[in-house]
Amino acid sequence: MTSTATRPRGARARAAIAAKTLRTDRWWFAPLITVVGLSAWVIYATVRVFMHKWYWVDQYHYLTPFYSPCVTERCVEGSSHFGSFLPGWWIIPDAALTLPFLLLFRLTCYYYRKAYYRSFWLSPPACAVPDGHQSYSGETRFPLLGQNLHRYFFYAAAIISLINTWDAIYAFHSPEGFGFGLGNIVLLVNVVMLWAYTISCHSCRHIIGGRLKHFSKHPLRYKAWTGVSWLNVRHMQLAWITLGTLALTDFYVMAVAAKWITDLRFIN
């Protein structure tokens, strides 16, 4: 056996391991689930956005968030709350003013970056597992340089959340007066989750308290920062929950609009 005394000064002994990783657990499972989950949601959302039907229930004023606000000339009567000023070409989503910003907000989100970097790009797929690429340049070149715009997409997402809140409130005022049904609960839960995800954003946390030097001089902002920080720890869970509530809300509105099911009404 060779002792350390016989080694050249400064030399380091390295283990002769041919395997890329010594991990024996299912490290590939989390990236796989992420790929399946995100791919399924993107496919569903894309199909729904370009269906151009079953998004508005005039009887109860239910509007799916995938079509809010509806601004094309193709929008059915009553569903366009802010005017119809875009052409009704099939390639243009009915919510063309909001969907791009929502997509960019999620795409540049700190959690989603980690999710698709590790799953789709394998950069890296897991801890102690080699990167799937030979070189790494970080987010210093196009198109990843655009990730720095996340803080600005946050403002757009906050405005869109206000629009979704208006849709949820407006749904209580049906043509027959005040009404309350299962669809209202679905819309409200979705809005609450969207606000929780939006507010838990790292950019929001920085906006509230990131530039303060003395929290003691700003007690209200410190309290708000503490609340946002509590949500920020749960940002990953909220990111997935909101994908679920968005799909569930859209599917419920679609099912009622297509008359596959009847909305369960509690009042009116």
Side-chain angles (χ1 to χ4, degrees):
M1 183 174 65
T2 304
S3 65
T4 56
T6 60
R7 295 174 188 164
R9 182 174 296 180
R12 295 182 180 181
R14 296 180 62 88
I17 301 174
K20 291 184 177 181
T21 178
L22 295 181
R23 290 187 61 170
T24 58
D25 62 322
R26 296 188 300 173
W27 57 265
W28 47 266
F29 186 72
L32 176 62
I33 291 298
T34 302
V35 168
V36 173
L38 290 180
S39 298
W41 194 90
V42 169
I43 292 172
Y44 172 83
T46 303
V47 171
R48 279 294 293 137
V49 164
F50 291 103
M51 283 181 66
H52 303 304
K53 63 178 180 179
W54 298 335
Y55 55 85
W56 169 252
V57 182
D58 187 63
Q59 186 178 2
Y60 308 125
H61 287 172
Y62 293 163
L63 178 63
T64 171
F66 286 178
Y67 286 76
S68 177
C70 199
V71 294
T72 67
E73 297 174 350
R74 185 179 48 248
C75 296
V76 298
E77 184 178 357
S79 65
S80 183
H81 303 157
F82 299 92
S84 303
F85 44 84
L86 293 182
W89 303 335
W90 75 269
I91 196 63
I92 299 179
D94 293 289
L97 291 185
T98 56
L99 289 180
F101 292 103
L102 285 177
L103 176 62
L104 291 171
F105 177 62
R106 299 246 175 187
L107 194 64
T108 59
C109 167
Y110 289 104
Y111 165 69
Y112 282 115
R113 293 189 213 180
K114 168 191 169 183
Y116 62 77
Y117 283 177
R118 288 191 172 187
S119 57
F120 289 91
W121 293 352
L122 303 177
S123 182
C127 295
V129 178
D131 196 298
H133 305 80
Q134 294 183 352
S135 61
Y136 174 74
S137 61
E139 297 174 342
T140 60
R141 295 186 301 180
F142 181 85
L144 296 184
L145 189 62
Q147 303 282 32
N148 295 318
L149 297 175
H150 177 66
R151 69 193 70 177
Y152 302 108
F153 297 138
F154 162 76
Y155 295 112
I159 295 174
I160 295 170
S161 294
L162 286 173
I163 296 175
N164 293 145
T165 303
W166 163 255
D167 293 335
I169 295 174
Y170 186 68
F172 285 99
H173 303 278
S174 64
E176 298 179 359
F178 176 79
F180 178 68
L182 180 58
N184 295 102
I185 297 178
V186 172
L187 289 170
L188 281 177
V189 170
N190 179 62
V191 165
V192 171
M193 290 296 101
L194 287 178
W195 273 116
Y197 167 72
T198 304
I199 294 175
S200 69
C201 171
H202 296 73
S203 295
C204 179
R205 184 171 180 265
H206 177 73
I207 290 170
I208 291 178
R211 294 180 177 272
L212 296 180
K213 295 182 178 179
H214 304 284
F215 275 127
S216 59
K217 296 182 180 180
H218 305 274
L220 293 180
R221 290 185 64 181
Y222 173 70
K223 189 173 182 179
W225 180 83
T226 303
V228 171
S229 298
W230 184 85
L231 287 173
N232 180 257
V233 177
R234 297 157 178 81
H235 195 54
M236 178 186 73
Q237 292 87 341
L238 290 169
W240 283 101
I241 289 173
T242 49
L243 291 184
T245 57
L246 281 167
L248 175 62
T249 303
D250 175 78
F251 185 82
Y252 186 86
V253 173
M254 175 176 64
V256 176
K259 302 187 184 304
W260 298 340
I261 62 174
T262 302
D263 184 45
L264 177 61
R265 305 299 293 175
F266 305 115
I267 300 176
N268 197 3

